[in-house]
């Protein structure tokens, strides 16, 4: 394994560690009556932001309350992500391409399972409404977008990666670069 590959691996590991200190994702609700917006940040092990205000609004349309206790994922994610990062460190230290492949595949599976789980939570949250809610709009569901923006009644809901998510994503790109990038050998070095 070449030095530049190992450098990419270790930079990627450092970027991955940001997930323990920075929010990964945020959901923003913007409406005329909330010009500053309501925001929920998703961390590796919890939630923060305007959760009480969001729960208060959601009650009227029959959405269930958001509670950290309802997410078993927050109890296991720090350990799974830590194990994946340790595989990356081990790949760099041992110069093992097999471990680098295992890390890359593990990160891809982690992303697929994570986004699928997030989508299923959003779907359940936005579709399984209390039939006795104060406000009912026939045929309306309130599922926030997985990525991007969506109009939900008079709210614009946005769902985008936060600082930690962007750094982890960049780390994933560096893992792919470490695995697939082959620098060109200049003709001068062959002689």
């Amino acid at each position: 394994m070449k030095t530049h590959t190992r450098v990419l691996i270790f930079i990627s590991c450092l970027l991955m560690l940001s997930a323990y200190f920075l929010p990964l994702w945020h959901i923003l609700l913007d409406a005329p009556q909330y010009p500053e917006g309501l925001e929920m940040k998703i961390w590796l092990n919890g939630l923060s932001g305007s959760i009480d205000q969001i729960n208060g609004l959601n009650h009227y349309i029959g959405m269930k309350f958001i509670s950290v206790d309802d997410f078993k994922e927050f109890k296991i994610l720090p350990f799974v992500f830590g194990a994946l990062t340790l595989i990356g460190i081990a790949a760099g230290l041992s110069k093992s391409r097999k471990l680098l492949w295992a890390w890359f595949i593990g990160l891809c599976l982690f992303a697929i399972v994570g986004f699928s789980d997030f989508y299923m939570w959003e779907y359940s949250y936005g579709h399984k409404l209390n039939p006795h809610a104060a406000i009912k709009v026939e045929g309306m569901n309130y599922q926030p977008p997985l990525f991007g923006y969506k109009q939900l009644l008079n709210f614009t809901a946005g769902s985008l990666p936060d600082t930690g998510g962007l750094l982890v994503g960049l780390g994933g790109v560096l893992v792919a670069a470490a695995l697939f990038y082959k620098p060109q050998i200049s003709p001068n070095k062959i002689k």
Side-chain angles (χ1 to χ4, degrees):
M1 187 179 287
K2 297 190 188 273
T3 303
H4 74 272
T5 302
R6 295 179 70 215
V7 168
L8 288 175
I9 289 170
F10 292 127
I11 291 171
S12 179
C13 289
L14 286 173
L15 292 171
M16 299 277 176
L17 290 174
S18 70
Y20 290 93
F21 309 103
L22 297 170
L24 297 172
W25 208 263
H26 70 267
I27 295 176
L28 176 67
L29 298 172
D30 193 24
Q33 64 270 38
Y34 294 97
E36 72 285 351
L38 299 173
E39 187 173 54
M40 180 176 76
K41 291 187 178 273
I42 301 171
W43 300 71
L44 194 59
N45 62 350
L47 303 169
S48 66
S50 313
I51 296 169
D52 290 338
Q53 294 94 327
I54 293 170
N55 279 336
L57 288 170
N58 289 345
H59 169 74
Y60 290 107
I61 56 175
M63 295 173 86
K64 62 183 175 180
F65 285 118
I66 300 169
S67 171
V68 172
D69 297 334
D70 293 338
F71 296 93
K72 61 185 178 304
E73 295 88 344
F74 290 140
K75 292 177 179 67
I76 62 170
L77 277 176
F79 298 105
V80 172
F81 203 75
L84 284 170
T85 304
L86 286 175
I87 292 170
I89 292 168
L93 291 175
S94 68
K95 302 177 186 179
S96 169
R97 288 203 60 84
K98 284 183 182 179
L99 277 178
L100 181 57
W101 270 105
W103 188 31
F104 177 73
I105 291 167
L107 289 172
C108 289
L109 290 174
F110 180 81
I112 291 166
V113 170
F115 278 112
S116 297
D117 184 60
F118 185 40
Y119 176 83
M120 294 307 296
W121 173 79
E122 285 185 325
Y123 183 89
S124 173
Y125 182 71
H127 285 82
K128 294 181 180 176
L129 305 174
N130 181 346
H132 307 293
I135 299 172
K136 290 184 233 167
V137 178
E138 192 64 36
M140 182 73 184
N141 75 67
Y142 302 98
Q143 179 181 354
L146 181 64
F147 187 87
Y149 293 90
K150 180 179 181 181
Q151 194 67 34
L152 300 170
L153 298 177
N154 65 328
F155 281 89
T156 301
S159 177
L160 297 166
D162 210 318
T163 309
L166 292 171
L167 292 175
V168 167
L170 177 59
V173 169
L174 291 181
V175 173
L179 197 54
F180 298 111
Y181 174 69
K182 305 280 190 247
Q184 299 295 322
I185 299 172
S186 76
N188 296 335
K189 289 191 177 184
I190 295 174
K191 295 178 182 177

